[in-house]
């Protein structure tokens, strides 16, 4: 099955699920589907990496299988596990059962195996791969290049239908070359003010166009300062919602001063913004 | 198309982007499925398959523009403006002003850039030779001088927040104009003398390979932005290293105790968990102008890595030395810290670097800061203006510290040239070349400064 027919179609269908893609995003998403390669999405927190995977699943009507990575994640929780209790009971009940306790019946599926064996279209989201240990990357290599899993007792299980794989990373560590080589790479950065305005308007219905414009421009200015943590798109949306809740029509200096905490989370960043923007 | 593809991949490799054979094949496969007439999706297709690190992207864009130049629209654009050969410059500046206040993605904007480079960009580069330069275009039109006029037009009253926002928008548009001019100039040179010739000089090194001593002001700001991501990456790497380290010494009591259950035979040994090694760090950094960008960056990085050390103390010197730790308090603003440091700290007397005097003064005033748990880090170029080097004092300081390292931002071939006495110092203290972020990161990871 092909996931999308062409680059323009990707843009349209993502827009249909409220995700505004630019040229780079649309092309990468299309290529990942057309070439059958995993898509590695890297970028700062809160620019819509996970959201992109959800949007792809939504736009193509596929099921989303999510593997959240964390330190200490291992095979048993990512790939598969044998149901020891059931195996033990079977052996106790039946002395001749030694041969068949490693079969389908005793296999516990974990996200990766589930995505491989599913015969419905599936989007596999491997979230925050940089949080997992380096060994997990090795575990993923077989799945990412050949879409198959080898279980020693059962043999190799190949994908019934290739899942659409999205990996996300915050770049807290450099991923291995082997992993990067197998993936298409998409770097998601901060959007242009025009695109950000449109994003805010889709995600915060009820906000006036004028206010969204001011919001996007102010955030662009904040990002140009040397801050410890630049405001993300998610925070801009929060800001929009805050202004809507407060019923402000205009983003003037007082309003910014009162609500700056929504977008800047470091004390020194706060001080710097107040000084540079001339707020009191 | 195939030749072009192979040439482009080759140029990327030459520019320092690691492109493997498999990635080249992926790109070729991608070309089969996308619409080749759409230049932007061609660009993104190449980027998605070949560029796996964001630092390589700017260089990639430059090369892409050279290898796949935009198709010239032969005067078919409906709103095409005719620029007569003899339009007065003032009028052109008026047009530029209107364009800068509008949307820079407008086709008219590109058209204007093309015309202007055609008119002003050609400069005689020698007898009988002509070349293209962007500075002559920028000088003729000088977009920077239009800022005040534009601000007056956009705002009813000056000052405050609206002006900040307008300024930000204008300056980002001016930057886009300058980039467009530069890229158009490169295209013209490539047309005249071949792509390969210009490609080699057009690509700037990626930010993590940028020489500390040669950074421009804008690049320095970009470097500082790298501090926190880099510190986060290093910190996570260092904690992993700490965790995977060997277990500690034999826990005698627990081993004997466990042996009771096996009749007094110690079958299993128990080891103490290893105590995390958190060194104290003393940084002694050259703050003279010649190496200041390097020192600033390294100082910021070590303070961002503060969690890895129990205690960090920093000292700056030119020809005398003063403690600067207090300026880098946690949560303090980076830029403020640097300006306050250069303004308030007592580090200069005559303004010429004097390592010998600095080491003597440091040993006198702060000698007791160095103890058996301390790592000593010296940052500087070892250029002492022919003053006595005080080797013995340094030897004494080094012997007191647990580890000592010297980071030198100069390339190794330049050591010992002129007034540099790098080799004399490096017999006493291990000296590492540290010219860019990559080398600095490698140093922190590979040595005991951070953790073991």
């Amino acid at each position: 099955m092909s996931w999308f027919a062409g680059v323009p179609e990707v843009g349209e269908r993502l827009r249909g699920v409220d995700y505004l893609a630019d040229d780079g995003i649309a092309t990468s998403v299309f290529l990942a589907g057309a070439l059958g390669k995993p898509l590695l999405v890297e970028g700062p927190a809160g620019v819509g990496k996970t959201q992109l995977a959800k949007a792809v699943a939504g736009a193509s009507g596929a099921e989303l299988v999510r593997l959240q990575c964390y330190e200490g994640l291992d095979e048993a929780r990512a790939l598969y596990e044998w149901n020891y209790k059931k195996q033990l009971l079977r052996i106790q009940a039946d002395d001749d059962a030694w041969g068949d306790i490693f079969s389908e019946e005793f296999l516990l599926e974990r996200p990766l195996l589930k995505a491989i064996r599913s015969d419905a279209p599936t989007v596999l989201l491997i979230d925050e791969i940089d949080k997992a240990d380096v060994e997990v990357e090795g575990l993923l290599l077989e799945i990412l290049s050949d879409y198959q899993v080898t279980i020693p007792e059962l043999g190799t299980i190949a994908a019934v239908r290739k899942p659409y794989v999205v990996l996300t990373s915050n770049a807290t560590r450099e991923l291995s070359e082997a992993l990067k080589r197998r993936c298409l790479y998409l770097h998601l950065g901060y959007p242009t003010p025009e695109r950000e305005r449109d994003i805010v308007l889709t995600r915060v219905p009820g906000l006036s166009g004028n206010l969204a414009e001011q919001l996007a421009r102010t955030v662009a200015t904040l990002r140009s300062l040397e801050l410890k943590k630049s405001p993300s798109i998610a925070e801009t949306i929060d800001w929009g919602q805050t202004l809507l809740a407060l019923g402000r029509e205009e983003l003037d200096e007082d309003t910014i001063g009162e609500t700056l905490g929504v977008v800047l989370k470091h004390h020194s960043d706060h001080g710097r913004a107040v000084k540079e923007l001339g707020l009191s | 198309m195939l030749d072009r593809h192979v040439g482009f991949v080759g140029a990327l490799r030459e520019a320092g982007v690691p492109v493997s054979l498999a990635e080249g094949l992926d790109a070729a496969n991608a070309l089969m499925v996308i619409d080749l007439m759409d230049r932007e999706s061609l660009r993104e297709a190449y980027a998605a398959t070949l560029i796996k690190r964001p630092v390589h992207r700017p260089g990639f864009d430059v090369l892409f523009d050279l290898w796949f130049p935009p198709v010239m629209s032969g005067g078919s654009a409906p709103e095409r403006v005719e620029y007569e050969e003899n339009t007065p410059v003032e009028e052109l500046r008026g047009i530029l002003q209107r364009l800068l206040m509008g949307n820079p993605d407008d086709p008219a904007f590109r058209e204007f850039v093309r015309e202007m480079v055609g008119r002003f960009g050609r400069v005689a580069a020698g007898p009988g030779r002509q070349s293209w330069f962007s500075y002559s275009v920028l000088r003729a039109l000088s977009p920077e001088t239009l800022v005040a006029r534009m601000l007056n037009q956009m705002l009813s009253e000056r000052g405050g927040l609206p002006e900040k926002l307008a300024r930000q928008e204008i300056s980002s548009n001016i930057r886009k104009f300058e980039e467009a001019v530069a890229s158009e100039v490169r295209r013209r040179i490539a047309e005249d003398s071949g792509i390969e010739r210009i490609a080699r000089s057009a690509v700037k090194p990626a930010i993590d390979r940028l020489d500390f001593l040669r950074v421009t002001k804008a690049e320095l700001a970009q470097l500082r932005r790298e501090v926190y991501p880099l510190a986060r990456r290093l910190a996570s790497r260092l904690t992993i290293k700490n965790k995977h380290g060997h277990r500690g010494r034999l826990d005698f009591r627990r081993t004997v105790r466990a042996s009771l259950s096996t009749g007094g035979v110690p079958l299993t040994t128990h080891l103490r968990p290893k105590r995390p090694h958190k060194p104290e760090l003393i940084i002694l950094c050259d703050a003279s102008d010649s190496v200041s960008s390097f020192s600033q960056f390294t100082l910021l990085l070590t303070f961002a890595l503060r969690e890895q050390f129990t205690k960090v103390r920093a000292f700056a010197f030119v020809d005398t030395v003063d403690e600067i730790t207090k300026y880098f308090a946690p949560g303090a603003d980076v830029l403020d810290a640097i300006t306050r440091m250069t303004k308030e700290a007592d580090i200069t007397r005559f303004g010429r670097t004097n390592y010998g005097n600095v080491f003597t003064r440091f040993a006198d005033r702060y000698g007791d800061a160095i103890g058996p748990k301390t790592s000593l880090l010296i940052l500087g170029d070892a250029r002492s203006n022919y003053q006595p080097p005080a080797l013995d004092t340094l030897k004494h300081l080094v012997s007191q510290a647990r580890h000592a390292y010297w980071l030198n931002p100069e390339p190794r071939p330049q050591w010992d040239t002129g007034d540099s006495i790098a080799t004399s110092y490096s017999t006493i203290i291990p000296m590492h070349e540290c010219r860019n972020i990559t080398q600095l990161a490698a140093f922190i990871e590979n040595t005991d400064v951070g953790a073991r």
Side-chain angles (χ1 to χ4, degrees):
Chain A
M1 180 197 111
S2 71
W3 288 85
F4 298 100
V7 177
E9 194 205 309
V10 176
E12 269 165 42
R13 279 168 61 182
L14 288 182
R15 186 177 291 268
V17 287
D18 281 355
Y19 192 93
L20 301 183
D22 60 12
D23 275 345
I25 298 177
T27 310
S28 309
V29 166
F30 167 69
L31 281 177
L35 301 181
K37 290 192 137 265
L39 180 64
L40 169 62
V41 189
E42 209 169 62
V47 291
K49 298 185 295 292
T50 308
Q51 199 60 40
L52 176 61
K54 289 182 187 164
V56 169
S60 54
E63 190 196 352
L64 183 75
V65 176
R66 179 171 178 167
L67 173 66
Q68 177 71 46
C69 295
Y70 50 88
E71 221 173 290
L73 178 76
D74 61 359
E75 224 176 12
R77 273 171 287 187
L79 199 51
Y80 68 90
E81 198 172 12
W82 291 107
N83 192 342
Y84 295 117
K85 286 185 202 128
K86 213 169 160 190
Q87 285 175 328
L88 206 63
L89 285 176
R90 170 60 63 85
I91 293 170
Q92 284 172 346
D94 179 1
D95 281 341
D96 305 328
W98 287 98
D100 52 47
I101 52 166
F102 288 109
S103 64
E104 210 48 44
E105 202 188 337
F106 301 98
L107 194 65
L108 290 176
E109 252 179 6
R110 297 290 184 235
L112 292 181
L113 189 60
K114 185 178 171 200
I116 289 278
R117 296 211 300 183
S118 164
D119 50 5
T122 312
V123 173
L124 171 62
L125 166 63
I126 303 176
D127 211 4
E128 308 200 9
I129 173 78
D130 54 328
K131 297 271 192 314
D133 304 316
V134 186
E135 294 79 17
V136 176
E137 284 181 31
L139 182 76
L140 287 175
L141 293 183
E142 188 185 10
I143 296 175
L144 295 185
S145 57
D146 300 328
Y147 294 99
Q148 62 179 38
V149 173
T150 303
I151 301 174
E153 295 86 355
L154 282 185
T156 302
I157 299 178
V160 185
R161 178 179 214 145
K162 278 190 184 177
Y164 188 109
V165 185
V166 179
L167 298 97
T168 73
S169 157
N170 270 334
T172 49
R173 70 181 170 83
E174 197 77 39
L175 300 176
S176 71
E177 288 301 318
L179 183 78
K180 282 191 170 181
R181 186 175 69 66
R182 285 167 171 80
C183 299
L184 298 179
Y185 182 87
L186 172 66
H187 182 260
L188 274 189
Y190 298 119
T192 58
E194 291 78 26
R195 190 171 153 242
E196 182 150 36
R197 181 197 60 209
D198 295 343
I199 293 174
V200 171
L201 283 177
T202 25
R203 297 300 298 274
V204 193
L207 202 68
S208 75
N210 180 30
L211 191 54
E213 172 89 32
Q214 287 180 349
L215 210 55
R217 298 239 168 270
T218 314
V219 170
T221 310
L222 286 177
R223 286 191 191 128
S224 72
L225 306 176
E226 281 184 33
L227 300 178
K228 272 187 185 163
K229 168 76 179 75
S230 291
S232 67
I233 304 180
E235 282 160 332
T236 316
I237 293 173
D238 287 348
W239 207 5
Q241 264 151 1
T242 311
L243 295 181
L244 195 64
L246 292 176
R248 300 293 168 101
E249 293 297 321
E250 205 51 47
L251 189 62
D252 51 21
E253 285 161 35
D254 291 338
T255 315
I256 294 183
E258 286 161 20
T259 54
L260 202 56
V262 181
V263 279
L264 297 181
K265 315 275 165 83
H266 284 278
H267 180 64
S268 64
D269 285 356
H270 221 279
R272 159 138 283 213
V274 166
K275 204 174 81 188
E276 296 277 330
L277 296 182
L279 311 170
S280 47
Chain B
M1 188 65 208
L2 184 65
D3 285 346
R4 200 142 272 249
H5 169 73
V6 173
F8 181 53
V9 170
L12 280 175
R13 289 196 185 121
E14 200 159 307
V17 182
V19 178
S20 72
L21 189 62
E23 284 164 341
L25 286 175
D26 285 346
N29 277 331
L31 297 186
M32 305 294 292
V33 294
I34 57 153
D35 179 11
L36 292 179
M37 297 317 288
D38 182 354
R39 186 162 170 269
E40 281 315 300
S41 56
L42 179 65
R43 180 200 295 271
E44 296 301 338
Y46 266 123
T49 46
L50 303 180
I51 302 301
K52 306 284 166 87
R53 298 188 57 202
V55 289
H56 292 138
R57 182 66 199 244
F60 165 84
D61 279 334
V62 168
L63 285 176
F64 183 86
D65 285 338
L66 285 175
W67 247 261
F68 303 94
V71 184
M72 298 299 120
S73 53
S76 59
E79 76 277 49
R80 187 185 156 101
V81 200
E82 286 299 329
Y83 300 105
E84 295 288 334
E85 265 303 295
N86 44 15
T87 321
V89 174
E90 219 17 70
E91 205 171 300
L92 290 175
R93 277 164 54 89
I95 298 173
L96 175 63
Q97 181 182 341
R98 217 180 49 234
L99 288 171
L100 284 177
M101 285 164 63
N103 182 3
D105 297 326
D106 198 357
F109 190 81
R110 264 181 292 148
E111 190 67 31
F112 179 76
V113 168
R114 200 139 59 219
E115 294 286 338
M116 288 309 102
V117 172
R119 179 160 166 191
F120 297 109
R122 189 183 284 274
V123 173
R129 283 197 306 129
Q130 283 191 322
S131 193
W132 299 91
F133 289 99
S134 50
Y135 76 82
S136 55
V137 181
L138 297 180
R139 200 178 46 192
L141 297 172
S142 62
E144 300 287 347
T145 55
L146 291 171
V147 173
R149 246 198 272 170
M150 282 188 267
L151 283 176
N152 277 340
Q153 247 182 56
M154 287 168 81
L155 307 168
S156 47
E157 56 180 315
R158 297 285 289 269
L161 186 65
E163 182 178 335
K164 284 272 180 221
L165 296 185
R167 259 180 203 282
Q168 158 74 16
E169 191 185 344
I170 292 170
S171 67
S172 101
N173 280 355
I174 289 181
R175 242 186 340 272
K176 277 187 191 142
F177 175 71
E178 287 171 353
E179 272 164 29
V181 168
S183 125
E184 174 68 13
V185 161
R186 279 195 298 269
R187 191 187 65 78
R188 301 242 179 183
I189 298 179
E191 247 174 28
D192 288 356
S193 52
I195 300 172
E196 281 82 2
R197 238 191 88 201
I198 176 75
R200 224 156 284 158
S201 55
V203 181
K204 278 191 256 161
I207 184 82
D208 60 345
R209 308 224 166 251
L210 214 59
D211 219 319
F212 282 127
L213 296 183
R214 295 212 195 112
V215 291
T216 61
K217 218 169 154 196
E219 287 165 340
L220 190 64
Q222 210 182 337
L223 274 180
R224 278 198 300 264
R225 263 168 228 243
E226 279 288 299
V227 166
Y228 287 99
L230 182 68
R232 222 179 37 193
R233 258 202 323 267
L234 284 173
S236 72
R237 195 79 76 87
L238 293 175
T239 30
I240 291 172
K241 256 171 89 181
N242 234 345
K243 236 182 272 167
H244 287 298
H246 306 288
R247 304 267 301 279
R249 288 158 55 185
L250 182 75
D251 188 339
F252 195 72
R253 190 166 165 271
R254 282 183 64 206
T255 308
V256 170
R257 181 129 202 167
S259 76
L260 292 181
S261 64
T262 48
V265 184
L267 286 183
T268 47
T269 52
H270 287 267
L271 302 175
R272 281 176 209 278
K274 199 180 171 192
R275 291 173 63 193
H277 168 67
K278 278 198 166 186
E280 293 174 10
L281 189 65
I282 296 229
I283 310 170
L284 198 56
C285 75
D286 190 343
S288 65
D289 290 339
S290 58
V291 292
S292 65
S293 53
F294 164 67
S295 305
Q296 277 180 21
F297 181 80
T298 315
L299 268 178
L300 290 179
L301 184 65
T302 33
F303 276 92
L305 276 174
R306 191 193 294 268
E307 280 163 29
Q308 298 297 316
F309 308 102
T310 34
K311 209 163 149 198
V312 186
R313 285 181 81 181
F315 300 86
F317 62 85
V318 175
D319 50 9
T320 180
V321 61
D322 195 13
E323 176 155 10
I324 54 167
T325 317
K326 59 174 184 279
Y327 304 117
F328 291 90
D333 190 86
V334 172
L335 288 178
D336 282 354
I338 293 171
T339 34
R340 278 183 58 206
M341 173 190 114
T342 36
K343 219 186 296 171
E344 294 172 20
D346 169 32
I347 51 179
T348 321
R349 276 188 313 180
F350 307 110
R352 307 187 66 190
T353 325
N354 183 342
Y355 281 88
N357 185 36
V358 165
F359 291 141
T360 320
R361 293 271 301 178
F362 181 78
D364 282 355
R365 284 174 65 186
Y366 307 106
D368 51 351
I370 299 183
K373 274 162 75 184
T374 327
S375 292
L376 174 69
L377 198 62
I378 302 178
L379 315 173
D381 57 2
R383 289 192 179 276
S384 192
N385 292 307
Y386 306 105
Q387 308 282 336
L391 289 175
D392 286 334
T393 321
L394 181 62
K395 201 179 277 174
H396 181 66
L397 288 175
V398 169
S399 69
Q400 278 184 319
R402 182 187 177 108
H403 302 288
Y405 303 96
W406 188 311
L407 298 182
N408 192 335
E410 281 194 335
R412 210 171 266 272
Q414 282 175 30
W415 292 8
D416 292 325
T417 57
D419 59 344
S420 167
I421 40 173
T423 310
S424 322
Y425 280 134
S426 68
T427 51
I428 299 173
I429 171 171
M431 194 178 279
H432 298 259
E433 180 189 86
C434 183
R435 290 166 58 196
N436 51 40
I437 296 190
T438 312
Q439 283 182 342
L440 182 62
F443 168 78
I444 296 182
E445 270 178 44
N446 297 337
T447 53
D448 300 349
V449 173
R452 200 171 348 187

